[in-house]
């Protein structure tokens, strides 16, 4: 298979927060990989902008160090040197006037202009206003904003309003990096590119759907931020919600930004309010020298959850009576994220009771080992009568597609290239984000009002026992969490 790298138009990408953690870990190493892949024209530039004082040479060295630390295998020395030549640095005060004239002077008329707001959301409005008042932004300019996009509906509405004062919705790219993951897009390809699945994709044939995003990391080092957020705000309102939308949405008429986002929005608006008995929240315990959540959070009375499992209903014709079970947590047994579509049993077994109960399951693995499995029921080989067994038709992308599949861009690289191309399909629209908060807010308020404390769970486990009961009580069970 030959990979097709299509270069994007020349661009100036300004990264506000260009010396910050996300820029160093993800954005700049990602841009370097796209540069090595030949996707950036030679005259494209990346401009780091931040409050601290640096010479461009220092910024280049910082980027070289970040690449050495976070992506040491990519590129050659010559490629790195050529990439660093593309970098500039400007000291800019987001809340004042310093640096804005210099930034304006650096901009080139003839290129795509994009501004990545890799800063606290409280600065979004000020940056948008200055880009406008210093004449740096025009109607073609794109701005990229990171999560968290608000902490509730009111704050998300305020952010949207402050951006809308200076930018049209078609210029705003709200990142949810889960949408940039290869398998997430494959979910759409599988659903809408094959005849096989779509006719069965409804509550007549599907018993339930499980969406799991399990992590082994704790919140070490970011406990203070995380404690104001929790798994519901940090993961469910955005990442798991996007996975749910892509799994549940109706086929859009075409693969274009508004057609796809309209369908996702309809799913969010069809979600039923979740009663508290359908929610389990947990906090991890310490293990040896690994601190527990309460120590990480720095508050022994914290009521913030590092794990959440919930049963969600999409109240429409397609999904009435097919629950979606979502769970995500830190310090679990393995890093493993997947969507599992569990089909119903056959209406009648011709093989009798002893053949057991069997179900087809389609799993879409986001990480690790991106790929899909379709479990089908077959006869167990050998003598001894008709015994049935479920076996996976495994499609690990790296095996099926060869080495090219291992070179797919990571989520950030792909999304930044989409910004330059002007393709918003994999970005969240303002109304989508607001609808997701409108669904999440009452649920968060209901446990806060009751003063509920999350239940403890062991580091390295699959979460609290109560989460298992959430499914057991309906005769279902979670799939194993394994790497
Ligand atoms: C981020 C969350 O958005 O996603 C983190 O803030 C989480 O808490 C991370 O660890 C998970 O991303 P990934 O790509 O590693 O699954």
């Amino acid at each position: 298979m030959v990979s097709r790298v299509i270069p994007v138009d020349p661009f100036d990408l300004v990264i506000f927060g260009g010396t910050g953690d996300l820029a160093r870990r993800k954005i700049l190493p990602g841009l370097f990989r796209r540069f090595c892949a030949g996707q950036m024209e030679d005259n494209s530039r990346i401009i780091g902008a931040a409050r601290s004082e640096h010479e461009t040479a220092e910024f280049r060295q910082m980027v070289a160090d970040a690449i050495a630390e976070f992506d040491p295998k990519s590129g050659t020395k010559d490629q790195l040197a050529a990439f660093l030549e593309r970098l500039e640095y400007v000291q800019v005060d987001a809340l004042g006037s310093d640096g804005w004239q210099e930034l304006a002077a650096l901009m080139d008329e003839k290129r795509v202009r994009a501004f990545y707001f890799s800063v606290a959301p409280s600065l979004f409005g000020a940056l948008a206003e200055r880009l406008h008042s210093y004449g740096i932004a025009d109607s073609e300019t794109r701005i990229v904003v990171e999560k968290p996009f608000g902490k509730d509906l009111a704050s998300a509405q305020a952010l949207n309003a402050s951006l809308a004062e200076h930018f049209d919705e078609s210029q705003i790219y709200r990142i949810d990096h889960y949408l940039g993951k290869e398998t997430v897009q494959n979910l759409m390809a599988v659903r809408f590119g094959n005849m096989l699945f779509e006719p069965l994709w409804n509550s007549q044939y599907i018993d339930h759907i499980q969406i799991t995003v399990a992590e082994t990391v704790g919140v070490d080092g970011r406990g203070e931020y995380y404690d104001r957020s929790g798994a519901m705000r940090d993961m469910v309102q955005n990442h798991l919600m996007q996975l749910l939308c892509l799994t549940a949405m109706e086929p859009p008429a075409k693969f274009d930004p508004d057609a796809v986002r309209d369908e996702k929005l309809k799913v969010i608006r069809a979600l039923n309010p979740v009663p508290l008995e359908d929610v389990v929240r947990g906090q991890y315990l310490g293990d040896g020298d690994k601190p527990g959540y309460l120590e990480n959070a720095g508050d022994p009375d914290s009521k913030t959850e590092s794990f959440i499992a919930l049963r969600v209903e999409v109240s429409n014709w397609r999904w009435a009576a097919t629950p979606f079970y979502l769970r995500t947590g830190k310090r679990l047994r393995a890093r493993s994220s997947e969507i599992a579509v569990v089909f119903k049993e056959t209406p009648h077994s011709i093989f009798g009771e002893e053949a057991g109960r069997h179900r087809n399951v389609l799993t879409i693995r986001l990480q690790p080992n991106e790929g899909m499995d379709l479990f089908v029921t077959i006869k167990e080989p050998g003598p001894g009568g008709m015994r049935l067994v479920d076996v996976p038709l495994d499609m690990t992308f790296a095996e099926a597609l060869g080495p090219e599949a291992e070179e797919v861009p990571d989520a950030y690289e792909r999304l930044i290239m989409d910004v330059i191309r002007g393709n918003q399909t994999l970005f969240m629209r303002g109304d989508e984000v607001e609808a997701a908060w409108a669904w999440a807010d009452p649920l968060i308020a209901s446990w806060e009002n009751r003063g509920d404390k999350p239940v403890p769970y062991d580091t390295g486990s699959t979460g609290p026992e109560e989460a298992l009961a959430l499914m057991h009580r309906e005769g279902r069970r979670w799939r194993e969490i394994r790497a």
Side-chain angles (χ1 to χ4, degrees), residues 66-112:
I67 290 171
E69 183 176 351
F70 298 112
D71 191 15
K73 291 205 189 109
S74 286
T76 62
K77 265 189 167 169
D78 288 349
Q79 282 173 318
L80 181 61
F83 176 71
L84 296 179
E85 285 287 303
R86 312 275 105 234
L87 305 183
E88 308 278 348
Y89 182 80
V90 191
Q91 185 187 0
V92 171
D93 180 1
L95 298 172
S97 55
D98 289 353
W100 289 96
Q101 306 279 16
E102 288 87 327
L103 184 59
L106 257 184
M107 294 286 113
D108 189 304
E109 287 298 319
K110 299 177 290 295
R111 305 172 194 200
V112 174

Side-chain angles (χ1 to χ4, degrees), residues 147 177-178 181 215 222 234-235 239 330 335 367:
K147 75 177 266 271
H177 79 278
Y178 267 60
K181 290 186 189 272
E215 298 184 273
R222 59 198 283 256
D234 185 51
M235 297 293 288
H239 304 325
K330 309 269 184 208
R335 179 172 188 255
Q367 56 203 25

Side-chain angles (χ1 to χ4, degrees), residues 327-347:
R327 71 179 158 166
T328 182
K330 309 269 184 208
R331 286 272 191 85
L332 296 179
R333 179 178 293 165
R335 179 172 188 255
S336 160
S337 303
E338 66 167 34
I339 300 168
V341 180
V342 182
F343 288 86
K344 291 187 171 171
E345 290 171 23
T346 53

Side-chain angles (χ1 to χ4, degrees), residues 82-319:
F83 176 71
L84 296 179
E85 285 287 303
R86 312 275 105 234
L87 305 183
E88 308 278 348
Y89 182 80
V90 191
Q91 185 187 0
V92 171
D93 180 1
L95 298 172
S97 55
D98 289 353
W100 289 96
Q101 306 279 16
E102 288 87 327
L103 184 59
L106 257 184
M107 294 286 113
D108 189 304
E109 287 298 319
K110 299 177 290 295
R111 305 172 194 200
V112 174
R113 265 181 216 186
F115 297 87
Y116 199 126
F117 293 8
S118 180
V119 294
S122 54
L123 297 177
F124 289 179
L127 290 176
E129 193 274 316
R130 282 164 179 73
L131 285 175
H132 190 73
S133 61
Y134 284 89
I136 302 174
D138 59 23
S139 60
E140 297 295 309
T141 297
R142 290 139 211 188
I143 59 169
V144 185
V145 293
E146 266 294 330
K147 75 177 266 271
F149 200 84
K151 62 177 181 44
D152 53 20
L153 176 59
S155 54
Q157 282 171 330
L159 281 177
N160 275 335
S162 68
L163 296 178
E165 273 183 43
H166 306 290
F167 292 94
D168 186 70
E169 181 63 33
S170 63
Q171 298 176 276
I172 305 171
Y173 291 72
R174 292 176 197 78
I175 286 214
D176 182 314
H177 79 278
Y178 267 60
L179 287 176
K181 290 186 189 272
E182 181 73 6
T183 326
V184 173
Q185 292 162 73
N186 240 318
L187 173 59
M188 285 188 276
V190 165
R191 279 196 63 193
F192 305 128
N194 293 285
M195 198 55 211
L196 193 59
F197 299 109
E198 198 47 30
L200 306 179
W201 209 261
N202 56 54
S203 59
Q204 202 182 338
Y205 298 102
I206 295 178
D207 179 71
H208 72 277
I209 289 173
Q210 302 184 17
I211 301 180
T212 299
V213 177
E215 298 184 273
T216 51
V217 291
V219 299
D220 315 56
R222 59 198 283 256
E224 209 188 310
Y225 152 76
Y226 189 91
D227 204 47
R228 276 179 270 121
S229 170
M232 181 71 183
R233 289 189 171 100
D234 185 51
M235 297 293 288
V236 176
Q237 184 273 347
N238 37 72
H239 304 325
L240 277 85
M241 176 66 75
Q242 290 297 323
L243 301 181
L244 184 152
C245 284
L246 295 175
T247 310
M249 73 184 186
E250 296 300 313
K254 50 188 169 179
F255 191 56
D256 93 4
D258 276 327
V260 172
R261 297 186 301 175
D262 285 346
E263 295 305 336
K264 287 197 292 166
L265 180 61
K266 285 185 208 161
V267 174
I268 305 173
R269 289 193 172 148
L271 294 176
N272 279 342
V274 179
L276 276 180
E277 53 274 23
D278 287 353
V279 181
V280 175
R281 297 188 311 130
Q283 276 175 347
Y284 57 79
L285 294 166
D287 180 26
D289 53 3
K290 287 189 185 155
Y293 179 77
L294 295 175
E295 289 164 78
N296 280 149
D299 173 6
D301 294 321
S302 168
K303 296 193 173 85
T304 304
E305 73 286 351
S306 61
F307 173 98
I308 187 166
L310 54 169
R311 180 187 185 279
V312 174
E313 292 174 351
V314 182
S315 182
N316 63 17
W317 270 49
R318 188 185 282 264
W319 296 117

Side-chain angles (χ1 to χ4, degrees), residues 230-465:
M232 181 71 183
R233 289 189 171 100
D234 185 51
M235 297 293 288
V236 176
Q237 184 273 347
N238 37 72
H239 304 325
L240 277 85
M241 176 66 75
Q242 290 297 323
L243 301 181
L244 184 152
C245 284
L246 295 175
T247 310
M249 73 184 186
E250 296 300 313
K254 50 188 169 179
F255 191 56
D256 93 4
D258 276 327
V260 172
R261 297 186 301 175
D262 285 346
E263 295 305 336
K264 287 197 292 166
L265 180 61
K266 285 185 208 161
V267 174
I268 305 173
R269 289 193 172 148
L271 294 176
N272 279 342
V274 179
L276 276 180
E277 53 274 23
D278 287 353
V279 181
V280 175
R281 297 188 311 130
Q283 276 175 347
Y284 57 79
L285 294 166
D287 180 26
D289 53 3
K290 287 189 185 155
Y293 179 77
L294 295 175
E295 289 164 78
N296 280 149
D299 173 6
D301 294 321
S302 168
K303 296 193 173 85
T304 304
E305 73 286 351
S306 61
F307 173 98
I308 187 166
L310 54 169
R311 180 187 185 279
V312 174
E313 292 174 351
V314 182
S315 182
N316 63 17
W317 270 49
R318 188 185 282 264
W319 296 117
T322 295
F324 286 67
Y325 299 90
L326 316 184
R327 71 179 158 166
T328 182
K330 309 269 184 208
R331 286 272 191 85
L332 296 179
R333 179 178 293 165
R335 179 172 188 255
S336 160
S337 303
E338 66 167 34
I339 300 168
V341 180
V342 182
F343 288 86
K344 291 187 171 171
E345 290 171 23
T346 53
H348 164 73
S349 170
I350 65 167
F351 306 110
E353 282 295 305
E354 61 279 14
R357 301 165 64 182
H358 297 272
R359 286 174 165 170
N360 299 119
V361 180
L362 173 69
T363 64
I364 298 132
R365 289 192 307 276
L366 270 62
Q367 56 203 25
N369 309 325
E370 304 189 328
M372 274 183 278
D373 273 328
L374 177 61
F375 289 84
V376 292
T377 305
I378 61 164
K379 178 188 169 299
E380 205 174 297
M386 194 56 132
R387 291 186 317 265
L388 301 184
V389 60
D390 299 331
V391 293
L393 296 178
D394 182 355
M395 202 180 103
T396 303
F397 296 147
E399 279 170 24
L401 305 175
E404 302 282 345
E406 297 189 15
E407 284 163 25
V408 293
D410 96 343
Y412 277 93
E413 303 169 53
R414 177 195 313 278
L415 293 174
I416 295 170
M417 291 299 108
D418 278 358
V419 172
I420 307 300
R421 286 195 197 95
N423 184 347
Q424 287 186 309
T425 310
L426 299 176
F427 295 83
M428 293 180 297
R429 212 167 51 191
D431 51 4
E432 240 184 288
V433 179
E434 290 184 12
W437 281 122
W439 170 78
D441 275 2
L443 179 56
I444 296 172
S446 60
W447 71 60
E448 283 180 354
N449 291 342
R450 257 184 19 183
D452 286 359
K453 218 173 159 12
V455 288
Y457 62 93
D458 287 331
T459 282
S461 69
T462 58
E465 290 285 311

